[in-house]
Amino acid sequence: MSLSPPRRTSVFILSGIILLAFILRIYRSDTYGIWFDEKATLLISQCIAMEGANQHDVFDKKDSPYFTPKEFWKPKTFADFSEAVQRSDIGHSPAYYAVLWIWEEIFGLSDLSIRFPSIIFSTLTVLLVYFFAKRHFRLEPESATRLAFISAFIAAIEPLFIAHSHIARNYSMTFFLTLLSTHVFLIIMEKEQKKKAPTKLYAGYCALIAISILSHYLTVTVFLCHGLYTLLYVRKWPMWYKLGASFAVAIGFVSLWMIFGGGQSTFFTLNHQAVFYRNLALTNPVNSGFGLILPATIPNVFWRSLPIWSDLVLFTNGLATATAGYRNVGVALLIGLLSVFLIYRYRNQRQPPQWVKFVLPVLMLAGLAFYSIYPLQHLVLSATLPLFYLMMVALLEDFRTNDRPLIVFLVLLSVVPTLFLILMAFRSGHTYGLTQRYSGFSFPYVIILVAILIRKLATQKLWLSLPLTAVLIIQGGLVIQLLQRIYNDTAAKYTSFSVPRTTNPFRESAKKIEALYVPGDTVLYPSLKRREYSDIDKSGRPYAIIDAQLVNIYLPKDATYFQRIDPMERDKIVLVKGKTGQKITIFDLEGTKYRY
């Protein structure tokens, strides 16, 4: 059956958006070496604990200091997997590691390979945003399709999604899973309104809850929103029973991991971390080596959470850190308030006064004369209040009363994950957990709200739409600059680095060893002194072996290269030639310079 012209056009546009999303995500995805969290990901996915707590038979033999790649790659068990997750990631994300292990068995352990699942899930999230927006809003088919296209395009260029598609961690997978869970939840609501929803939908929803939580514990904030929606709007008691059973079975599966698997020590570790970071916040908030950690006072939590709120929304992205000075911000917000008044007063007038048609752009441009720093960012800030006002107007005017529960649901999903982080900050007494990735589940829903705004903006009179559209184009330019910094590895918030990394030094070392090693040679690995903060961190040895682990992960699994740890060397991986005793430096890690 051939597609009709409108249908064919929609498929073409959607395919273009998905292709754009994939290109933005795969571009430079293997340019930079893996960093600390990705090292944990790589080792755990192979059932290996960082620092070798489950590898004493390899690194701590009584009769010999030597080990080989073949010994390093001894077969592992589920107990090894549980211990690796428990010790290296607080019992977190077993579902993600299982998916990654399957992927690695097929495609190997290169940097691109271990990051590729993130690329796939991030790209699929863009596609799912399209279907979510098109399915759940009761609009005319053409309007629903337009809203879905705008939503998908914003998701395609969202900096957080792109940044996390370059990281071998669970975040892209959890963003996709929680959105899919919400999609299925709303389909259940829809079908229950018409007739009984099939049991397989509830079973699928139950599975999604369990897999999501076992991919990232904080996904519970999304399911908290599902529960709030049920409490507010579901009045059919059989649905309560079936949803309750779905939650109970899902939590039962999660509990199996928490009781019998690597999640056994999760709560102990979380409590220990809360005490540890609280002490740092009170005694050494700046120079602890863990970044800026402040006590959870109201001012500290406000300023630390402000960038999280601003970067949730594409047209306010970066403004919390780029705007500076009370005078600059005050002028921008005053202009924003005056603009809101103008829009409120004259938007619905068929023939507003002529001066109204010029005052909005004049107001916004006039602010440029007052901004002493970052003028474009403050110009964008001056437009944020009218843009948020117009978003509110769109939600009130463009949707029927029957759609209000869905709108409330979107707002809950947009704010509850971040509010939960703020609550936990006050509960734990420090600001360490106030970071965007932990509330990233909100982004798909905020993206749809922004798409609703853009759709509304396109229907407004030119005196209103043109100035605000121009500001959105300027913000688009600033977002492009941010993407360039992400690709250049200099956007610290998104990549954790302001100085670009090199390619993976451990993979390069493994290639060099494989090329140069001959029988009789010995590979020497450096060793740094280890700091152990809790029983979970204890490996039974005072020095670090992670450098040796990370090189061996890339060496042939059946190789018999003789290797040992050199307790007198801090930084250099060295190959000692057996016949001559010549020492060849394979790589100098230079302290923390290359130990990302």
Side-chain angles (χ1 to χ4, degrees):
M1 180 184 291
S2 62
L3 296 172
S4 63
R7 174 72 172 165
R8 192 180 304 120
T9 301
S10 294
V11 171
F12 178 79
I13 294 172
L14 180 59
S15 299
I17 293 173
I18 299 304
L19 179 61
L20 172 66
F22 180 75
I23 291 172
L24 290 174
R25 283 151 179 75
I26 199 168
Y27 177 62
R28 307 203 80 184
S29 58
D30 65 342
T31 302
Y32 306 107
I34 58 174
W35 59 293
F36 183 81
D37 284 2
E38 291 182 299
K39 293 174 184 178
T41 294
L42 180 58
L43 292 173
I44 294 169
S45 68
Q46 298 302 310
C47 306
I48 297 169
M50 295 179 75
E51 299 296 351
N54 63 343
Q55 289 187 309
H56 290 294
D57 57 339
V58 178
F59 293 100
D60 304 300
K61 290 180 289 195
K62 293 182 180 179
D63 57 344
S64 174
Y66 295 97
F67 54 90
T68 67
K70 188 174 182 178
E71 291 174 319
F72 178 87
W73 281 108
K74 284 181 179 179
K76 300 296 188 294
T77 65
F78 180 76
D80 286 309
F81 174 71
S82 292
E83 184 172 7
V85 179
Q86 177 179 321
R87 289 181 177 275
S88 305
D89 201 3
I90 67 167
H92 210 265
S93 310
Y96 167 73
Y97 293 124
V99 169
L100 185 60
W101 176 80
I102 295 171
W103 179 269
E104 290 168 342
E105 286 295 294
I106 301 171
F107 297 104
L109 297 171
S110 71
D111 291 355
L112 178 60
S113 175
I114 66 172
R115 289 167 178 164
F116 211 85
S118 295
I119 295 171
I120 293 174
F121 281 114
S122 187
T123 304
L124 288 176
T125 299
V126 176
L127 183 63
L128 185 55
V129 164
Y130 171 85
F131 288 113
F132 186 98
K134 187 174 181 181
R135 171 69 180 264
H136 297 299
F137 290 90
R138 287 187 280 267
L139 299 168
E140 295 297 324
E142 185 178 343
S143 295
T145 301
R146 190 178 300 115
L147 176 65
F149 281 144
I150 297 170
S151 300
F153 178 76
I154 296 172
I157 64 172
E158 167 54 48
L160 185 82
F161 287 172
I162 293 171
H164 281 291
S165 68
H166 288 189
I167 299 173
R169 292 296 283 170
N170 52 42
Y171 303 110
S172 292
M173 179 173 165
T174 55
F175 299 161
F176 172 78
L177 286 173
T178 50
L179 180 60
L180 182 59
S181 302
T182 304
H183 183 55
V184 172
F185 176 80
L186 288 175
I187 291 174
I188 290 173
M189 297 295 109
E190 174 189 312
K191 290 189 176 295
E192 289 285 10
Q193 290 296 326
K194 299 175 182 178
K195 57 181 180 179
K196 185 178 179 180
T199 303
K200 63 182 180 181
L201 266 180
Y202 283 100
Y205 180 59
C206 173
L208 284 169
I209 295 172
I211 296 170
S212 296
I213 296 173
L214 290 175
S215 297
H216 196 297
Y217 293 148
L218 283 177
T219 56
V220 296
T221 58
V222 174
F223 302 111
L224 173 63
C225 295
H226 292 192
L228 289 173
Y229 180 92
T230 303
L231 182 65
L232 291 171
Y233 297 110
V234 174
R235 294 294 178 265
K236 295 183 178 180
W237 296 113
M239 289 177 63
W240 279 62
Y241 302 145
K242 286 182 279 189
L243 289 170
S246 299
F247 275 102
V249 173
I251 296 302
F253 277 111
V254 174
S255 298
L256 292 176
W257 171 254
M258 303 298 288
I259 295 171
F260 302 107
Q264 297 176 59
S265 63
T266 294
F267 293 112
F268 164 79
T269 305
L270 288 174
N271 288 332
H272 169 79
Q273 288 181 347
V275 174
F276 177 74
Y277 291 128
R278 186 189 306 126
N279 288 336
L280 287 182
L282 295 173
T283 61
N284 191 16
V286 178
N287 298 314
S288 66
F290 292 89
L292 181 64
I293 307 176
L294 300 174
T297 63
I298 291 177
N300 286 341
V301 170
F302 173 80
W303 289 112
R304 294 288 285 175
S305 64
L306 192 59
I308 299 177
W309 291 115
S310 71
D311 292 357
L312 263 175
V313 183
L314 195 67
F315 61 78
T316 61
N317 185 290
L319 296 187
T321 52
T323 53
Y326 291 116
R327 184 176 70 90
N328 294 333
V329 173
V331 170
L333 293 179
L334 177 60
I335 290 172
L337 287 171
L338 293 174
S339 301
V340 169
F341 174 77
L342 286 171
I343 294 170
Y344 170 78
R345 178 70 174 80
Y346 296 106
R347 183 177 69 89
N348 291 323
Q349 284 193 9
R350 183 170 298 178
Q351 292 294 335
Q354 287 296 318
W355 61 268
V356 171
K357 299 179 181 180
F358 304 99
V359 71
L360 194 59
V362 169
L363 257 179
M364 292 182 177
L365 291 173
L368 295 174
F370 295 92
Y371 305 138
S372 59
I373 190 172
Y374 301 128
L376 291 181
Q377 284 84 349
H378 288 93
L379 172 62
V380 174
L381 178 62
S382 70
T384 57
L385 291 181
L387 287 170
F388 277 119
Y389 173 74
L390 202 60
M391 180 189 292
M392 182 185 67
V393 168
L395 296 176
L396 293 174
E397 292 182 352
D398 295 354
F399 298 94
R400 290 171 280 184
T401 304
N402 291 341
D403 292 317
R404 295 291 165 79
L406 177 59
I407 299 302
V408 171
F409 193 31
L410 283 185
V411 173
L412 286 173
L413 288 161
S414 298
V415 302
V416 165
T418 301
L419 290 175
F420 183 83
L421 292 184
I422 291 173
L423 175 64
M424 294 306 295
F426 282 117
R427 184 178 181 276
S428 61
H430 61 82
T431 61
Y432 187 71
L434 288 174
T435 182
Q436 193 84 68
R437 61 184 180 270
Y438 293 156
S439 62
F441 324 113
S442 294
F443 273 80
Y445 315 105
V446 177
I447 282 168
I448 293 172
L449 292 175
V450 174
I452 290 170
L453 159 67
I454 293 175
R455 177 177 167 272
K456 184 68 171 180
L457 187 61
T459 66
Q460 301 303 296
K461 296 172 184 176
L462 292 180
W463 69 265
L464 169 56
S465 62
L466 284 181
L468 294 181
T469 300
V471 171
L472 290 178
I473 292 172
I474 292 171
Q475 175 67 356
L478 297 174
V479 169
I480 290 173
Q481 291 179 7
L482 172 59
L483 293 181
Q484 289 174 335
R485 294 196 299 275
I486 290 173
Y487 290 133
N488 293 334
D489 205 36
T490 57
K493 176 176 179 179
Y494 291 89
T495 66
S496 299
F497 298 93
S498 56
V499 177
R501 290 164 286 171
T502 62
T503 55
N504 188 334
F506 302 101
R507 184 172 177 82
E508 295 303 312
S509 297
K511 290 180 180 178
K512 199 169 179 181
I513 291 169
E514 191 174 356
L516 296 177
Y517 188 94
V518 297
D521 294 349
T522 302
V523 181
L524 304 181
Y525 292 101
S527 60
L528 293 176
K529 185 177 179 181
R530 286 203 68 220
R531 294 184 65 186
E532 296 177 337
Y533 299 102
S534 71
D535 290 340
I536 297 298
D537 297 319
K538 290 181 179 178
S539 65
R541 63 183 75 88
Y543 53 86
I545 64 166
I546 190 169
D547 297 330
Q549 287 182 303
L550 290 170
V551 173
N552 274 263
I553 205 85
Y554 299 113
L555 290 174
K557 294 184 179 181
D558 59 351
T560 56
Y561 308 155
F562 274 81
Q563 308 169 91
R564 68 176 176 85
I565 306 295
D566 182 356
M568 304 303 294
E569 175 58 51
R570 286 177 47 87
D571 297 319
K572 294 178 182 178
I573 302 170
V574 175
L575 177 66
V576 182
K577 303 302 289 182
K579 290 186 177 180
T580 64
Q582 177 190 5
K583 292 186 176 182
I584 301 173
T585 298
I586 299 296
F587 199 93
D588 187 349
L589 294 165
E590 299 184 35
T592 59
K593 183 176 181 180
Y594 296 106
R595 288 179 169 108
Y596 307 117

